[in-house]
Amino acid sequence: MKALIIGAGGVGTVATQKIAANPVFTEVMLASRTKSKCDAVAAAIGGNRVQTAQVDADSVPALCELFRSFKPDIVVNLALPYQDLTIMDACLECGCNYLDTANYEPKDEAHFEYSWQWAYQDRFKAAGLTAILGCGFDPGVTAIFTAYAAKHHFDEIHYLDIVDCNAGNHGMAFATNFNPEINIREVTQKGRYYQNGEWVVTEPHEIHKPLHYPEVGERESYLIYHEELESLVKNYPTIKRARFWMTFGQEYLTHLRVIQNIGMARIDPIMYNGVEIVPIQFLKAVLPDPKSLGANYHGQTSIGCRIRGIKDGKEHTYYIYNNCDHEKAFRETGTQAVSFTTGVPAALGASMWAKGLWRGAGVFNVEEFDPDPFLKELGEQGLPWHELFDVDIEL
């Protein structure tokens, strides 16, 4: 099996290491817009295990030239969400299977929706190819946790709350844990949650409450919209309410508010000294590279699903989660825990496909596959998970 990874940031670094270490893949290639980044990752892995290439992921012809040359069985898209559709187009044209970690969003609008990628269903089905969407941690493992809960512990899931806490400290006044442009677009949009068959829209960070996280303690948690909610309520129609919560420190929120107030979060182009620039892209250039944060990052992430539902006619609660230590992640991969928790599931999802465990013609969200083989290996890959039964889930 040949795997081609696109994107050499923190997530791409982790996924490439994990894929290169997996004997199911006979050949591995890492490609990005900047080949030197790929070369550095490949050199760190060593043994000439990883080939590298330069590619413009915005260009279907450029992607197809690379795909036809390397002939990958599966393409692991860890580039920007803006590039999902061009990479899917190239996969269809060249007969490659596809996996990503984040749903498509247009460059000119901070908007997350699966409709653009779900629209590829018939074409992937006709081509006999598999497209796996959202195989990071959230989306990704959170949806697989939900599928596992539905398979083993509930007849009906009624209430789903996905909780994402980063209790780490990198010592920077302000930095984002993944691509700053995508991160700021995501957390500054309006909140949205699902209730009784409808989507309820809230102002950014309007709803918040303290929640307790294992080994971390109490952290203020804010209701935001996250893409896996859209697919989970579709695939589990018994869900009455689904929400996503994320922790933010006050200093982070203050910086974010200032960035918005002075116009640096704008995604529309402006003229500066006769040159057209996008403010948020300029901001990305001056903020710390997320990949550089790992060396001084301490503390843990804690991400999981808090679920209430019915089993054998009785109501039960269930909390399934992973805690990931920033320092351990850095020792293993040279990246911080946010990159680690996204890169490991992407590599494992590619492995599930390569082993024939997650297959099918068409476009799939991860919860549509059997969660058991994935979760069986997740702990071995560095992300052990834990279950709590009939506890106070606070929500």
Side-chain angles (χ1 to χ4, degrees), residues 90-364:
C91 283
L92 283 169
E93 194 170 318
C94 300
C96 307
N97 298 279
Y98 172 89
L99 178 144
D100 68 26
T101 61
N103 73 354
Y104 172 75
E105 61 173 288
K107 246 185 181 174
D108 57 358
E109 185 185 0
H111 183 73
F112 309 94
E113 193 176 298
Y114 273 118
S115 61
W116 291 288
Q117 291 179 277
W118 284 345
Y120 280 68
Q121 171 72 10
D122 291 345
R123 279 175 284 169
F124 270 85
K125 204 167 190 174
L129 297 169
T130 306
I132 300 171
L133 307 184
C135 196
F137 206 102
D138 46 347
V141 175
T142 50
I144 296 162
F145 280 166
T146 305
Y148 185 83
K151 181 176 177 180
H152 296 284
H153 301 309
F154 292 95
D155 297 323
E156 292 184 3
I157 290 175
H158 290 169
Y159 301 96
L160 168 66
D161 285 279
I162 297 170
V163 292
D164 181 329
C165 170
N166 180 7
N169 181 11
H170 47 55
M172 300 277 188
F174 183 83
T176 61
N177 294 296
F178 55 95
N179 183 294
E181 187 178 349
I182 304 302
N183 182 266
I184 292 169
R185 283 168 65 119
E186 175 182 303
V187 302
T188 57
Q189 68 171 323
K190 289 192 174 185
R192 193 153 59 109
Y193 65 96
Y194 181 83
Q195 186 160 301
N196 298 326
E198 295 181 348
W199 290 100
V200 181
V201 178
T202 70
E203 290 304 309
H205 312 139
E206 175 190 348
I207 297 174
H208 56 94
K209 65 179 294 179
L211 297 174
H212 293 83
Y213 294 87
E215 298 179 48
V216 169
E218 185 179 279
R219 290 291 188 278
E220 197 67 18
S221 306
Y222 295 80
L223 188 149
I224 69 170
Y225 177 67
H226 226 244
E227 62 222 60
E228 64 262 49
L229 298 179
E230 184 184 12
S231 67
L232 286 168
V233 299
K234 172 174 169 273
N235 289 316
Y236 297 97
T238 62
I239 290 176
K240 298 176 182 178
R241 187 188 67 207
R243 302 178 295 190
F244 187 100
W245 304 81
M246 185 174 277
T247 62
F248 303 109
Q250 284 308 308
E251 190 173 11
Y252 177 90
L253 290 175
T254 300
H255 277 83
L256 202 59
R257 194 162 59 248
V258 171
I259 285 166
Q260 287 179 282
N261 288 346
I262 64 175
M264 287 305 296
R266 283 174 57 173
I267 62 176
D268 55 313
I270 62 166
M271 294 303 294
Y272 174 73
N273 281 354
V275 178
E276 192 178 81
I277 66 165
V278 175
I280 198 169
Q281 292 177 355
F282 174 81
L283 180 66
K284 174 188 171 185
V286 298
L287 286 175
D289 180 350
K291 200 172 172 180
S292 71
L293 300 174
N296 298 303
Y297 225 137
H298 312 288
Q300 299 182 72
T301 61
S302 182
I303 310 173
C305 298
R306 302 184 186 194
I307 298 170
R308 197 182 321 151
I310 301 293
K311 178 73 172 178
D312 298 328
K314 294 180 182 175
E315 185 174 89
H316 293 277
T317 64
Y318 176 66
Y319 183 12
I320 180 171
Y321 68 93
N322 160 265
N323 276 30
C324 183
D325 185 273
H326 284 287
E327 292 178 60
K328 283 183 184 173
F330 184 74
R331 282 197 298 272
E332 183 178 343
T333 61
T335 67
Q336 31 90 350
V338 178
S339 296
F340 189 85
T341 55
T342 309
V344 168
L348 186 51
S351 168
M352 292 291 105
W353 179 85
K355 292 174 180 176
L357 298 167
W358 283 10
R359 289 280 178 100
V363 175
F364 300 88

Side-chain angles (χ1 to χ4, degrees), residues 45-119:
I45 292 169
N48 295 319
R49 175 71 169 122
V50 178
Q51 302 171 56
T52 63
Q54 191 278 333
V55 73
D56 177 3
D58 291 318
S59 166
V60 173
L63 288 162
C64 283
E65 186 181 346
L66 178 62
F67 292 2
R68 290 190 179 112
S69 166
F70 182 64
K71 297 182 173 60
D73 296 290
I74 188 165
V75 173
V76 179
N77 169 17
L78 305 176
L80 295 172
Y82 319 138
Q83 297 163 327
D84 288 1
L85 302 189
T86 53
I87 297 173
M88 291 179 83
D89 285 335
C91 283
L92 283 169
E93 194 170 318
C94 300
C96 307
N97 298 279
Y98 172 89
L99 178 144
D100 68 26
T101 61
N103 73 354
Y104 172 75
E105 61 173 288
K107 246 185 181 174
D108 57 358
E109 185 185 0
H111 183 73
F112 309 94
E113 193 176 298
Y114 273 118
S115 61
W116 291 288
Q117 291 179 277
W118 284 345

Side-chain angles (χ1 to χ4, degrees), residues 4-72:
L4 170 62
I5 302 124
I6 302 177
V11 176
T13 298
V14 174
T16 304
Q17 290 182 31
K18 292 291 185 179
I19 286 172
N22 191 330
V24 76
F25 296 106
T26 53
E27 290 187 53
V28 180
M29 175 177 276
L30 176 61
S32 81
R33 192 182 298 273
T34 310
K35 187 173 180 291
S36 58
K37 288 184 179 179
C38 303
D39 293 338
V41 174
I45 292 169
N48 295 319
R49 175 71 169 122
V50 178
Q51 302 171 56
T52 63
Q54 191 278 333
V55 73
D56 177 3
D58 291 318
S59 166
V60 173
L63 288 162
C64 283
E65 186 181 346
L66 178 62
F67 292 2
R68 290 190 179 112
S69 166
F70 182 64
K71 297 182 173 60

